[in-house]
Amino acid sequence: MAKTQALPATKPARRSRFALPWYAWSLLAVAAAYGLAFAMHWDDRGLLWLSEHFQSPAQRQESIWLPNYRAVIDAKPLPGMEKDEASDVTYNPQTKTLFAVMGKKPFLAELTLQGDVLRKMPLVGWSNPEGVAYMENGLLAITDERSHTLTIVHVDADTRELNNADFPHYDLGPSKNQNKGFEGIAWDPRNQQLILGEERPPALFTWKSDGSQQLKGDKQIHVSNELDLRNLSALAIDPRTGHTLVLSADSHLLLELDEKGEQVSFMTLLGGFNGLKDTIPRAEGVTIDEAGNLYVVSEPNLFYRFEKQR
């Protein structure tokens, strides 16, 4: 009788160290999605998006109303500024031009409303200029994030260079995060004050002025506590409504606040939205003219113009 051979014992399959039950993977996916939504403030954006849909036509007409804006100049390179890092931009209603500060190699550039460079003015004595705001009568306020100072300069058609020592400057004081100081600045003509924005954690302050090179008193905490943003990159004041624009590079977002500091509308800066082909890589500056046209500059040297669709 033939002897039956025993079959070799099969080795149990080795369990992967990454093998988890399906419900565990589901929980991890939900947690990751929640973490991303929390970091990007999508929950707050969702609530604001819902509230926007309950705004009446009259309320929308009285605001900037960012959802209606579309890019008409999309990521136009500023020639010769690839390594200069555009930090902010402001509109001058007297000259109908823009002024942008470059932070890496400090200089002030005058631009047309189409993003063409008219002239460059070296900023001698600045360490890291991050914010610029046109005030009145040729005056520009420039913040230096590294030295925590604000300097008010005068620029006219003959200006070719600016020296920090020639102009009054003010100490902005310490920031909660000394490496993330005052990036945003805007002039509020209705209330005769500068609005200052701290990058991280985002915070707003005001500093009174009569539009001259002299500031009054000291900076004060702004009324707004609605800055649910990852960082604050730049500020602008709409001359028509008095509303404030708050730009966040890390959140890829432009936010509109009313005069009480409450959120009114927003615009995402991601590719595929508001006429943008691609996401704005790092939006660092924003301004608005008297016609309501928006201008954004992004590091290293990209220029954007948005117009409202009626």
Side-chain angles (χ1 to χ4, degrees), residues 2 8 14 67 73 76 82 95 128 152-153 157 167 193 195 255 259 265 282:
R14 189 173 180 181
I73 299 178
K76 177 180 179 178
E82 295 81 0
T95 60
N128 186 25
I152 301 179
V153 305
F167 304 99
Q193 62 186 7
I195 310 294
L255 185 65
E259 291 183 295
S265 70
R282 185 158 189 84

Side-chain angles (χ1 to χ4, degrees), residues 2 4 9 15 52 57 68 77 86 92 105 125 188 215 219 251 285 307:
T4 304
R15 186 179 179 88
E52 283 180 345
N68 285 1
N92 183 338
K105 296 178 181 178
D188 179 0
L215 300 183
K219 70 179 191 296
S251 296
E307 295 180 2

Side-chain angles (χ1 to χ4, degrees), residues 284-298:
E284 289 289 332
V286 65
T287 193
I288 186 169
D289 63 25
E290 66 271 359
N293 301 310
L294 289 171
Y295 307 88
V296 173
V297 291
S298 173

Side-chain angles (χ1 to χ4, degrees), residues 23-281:
Y23 55 83
W25 283 113
S26 299
L27 288 174
L28 286 173
V30 170
Y34 177 79
L36 180 61
F38 180 80
M40 297 296 290
H41 298 280
W42 288 346
D43 50 346
D44 299 305
R45 298 290 80 78
L47 291 174
L48 182 54
W49 181 81
L50 287 174
S51 69
E52 283 180 345
H53 285 69
F54 289 98
Q55 298 283 344
S56 68
Q59 290 172 315
R60 296 184 184 192
Q61 190 66 31
E62 292 170 358
S63 68
I64 302 172
W65 202 251
L66 295 172
N68 285 1
Y69 277 81
R70 296 293 180 272
V72 295
I73 299 178
D74 188 357
K76 177 180 179 178
L78 297 173
M81 300 185 189
E82 295 81 0
K83 299 180 180 179
D84 295 320
E85 296 184 357
S87 295
D88 199 6
V89 65
T90 188
Y91 173 69
N92 183 338
Q94 293 180 322
T95 60
K96 310 295 184 185
T97 59
L98 304 169
F99 286 86
V101 286
M102 303 292 161
K104 195 169 184 179
K105 296 178 181 178
F107 68 87
L108 183 71
E110 185 174 9
L111 313 173
T112 70
L113 301 185
Q114 306 301 319
D116 298 317
V117 180
L118 296 174
R119 57 174 167 162
K120 300 178 183 178
M121 294 157 277
L123 294 174
V124 180
W126 276 266
S127 300
N128 186 25
E130 285 290 339
V132 62
Y134 180 79
M135 297 176 67
E136 297 173 4
N137 302 316
L139 297 180
L140 293 171
I142 301 174
T143 60
D144 192 307
E145 185 180 31
R146 190 168 300 158
S147 64
H148 291 252
T149 57
L150 183 157
T151 306
I152 301 179
V153 305
H154 183 268
V155 176
D156 58 28
D158 298 322
T159 303
R160 294 294 175 264
E161 180 180 281
L162 294 164
N163 193 311
N164 191 282
D166 295 337
F167 304 99
H169 44 273
Y170 301 85
D171 184 3
L172 292 173
S175 301
K176 288 186 178 180
N177 184 338
Q178 284 294 92
N179 295 323
K180 302 293 181 182
F182 291 89
E183 280 221 358
I185 187 169
W187 171 243
D188 179 0
R190 294 188 180 191
N191 298 299
Q192 290 289 286
Q193 62 186 7
L194 286 166
I195 310 294
L196 295 159
E198 201 169 15
E199 181 184 5
R200 190 179 291 122
L204 291 178
F205 300 85
T206 61
W207 203 329
K208 288 291 185 180
S209 170
D210 59 1
S212 70
Q213 291 180 300
Q214 299 300 315
L215 300 183
K216 300 178 180 180
D218 201 353
K219 70 179 191 296
Q220 305 294 322
I221 297 175
H222 193 273
V223 295
S224 177
N225 60 355
E226 298 291 336
L227 296 179
D228 47 353
L229 301 167
R230 296 178 66 192
N231 81 317
L232 186 153
S233 301
L235 299 168
I237 300 291
D238 178 22
R240 305 160 305 157
T241 63
H243 289 188
T244 303
L245 290 170
V246 183
L247 180 67
S248 173
D250 290 351
S251 296
H252 299 292
L253 192 74
L254 183 61
L255 185 65
E256 176 187 2
L257 304 179
D258 65 16
E259 291 183 295
K260 297 179 181 178
E262 297 178 354
Q263 297 180 2
V264 177
S265 70
F266 75 98
M267 178 173 70
T268 182
L269 305 178
L270 299 174
F273 294 90
N274 297 89
L276 291 170
K277 181 180 178 182
D278 298 308
T279 297
I280 298 181

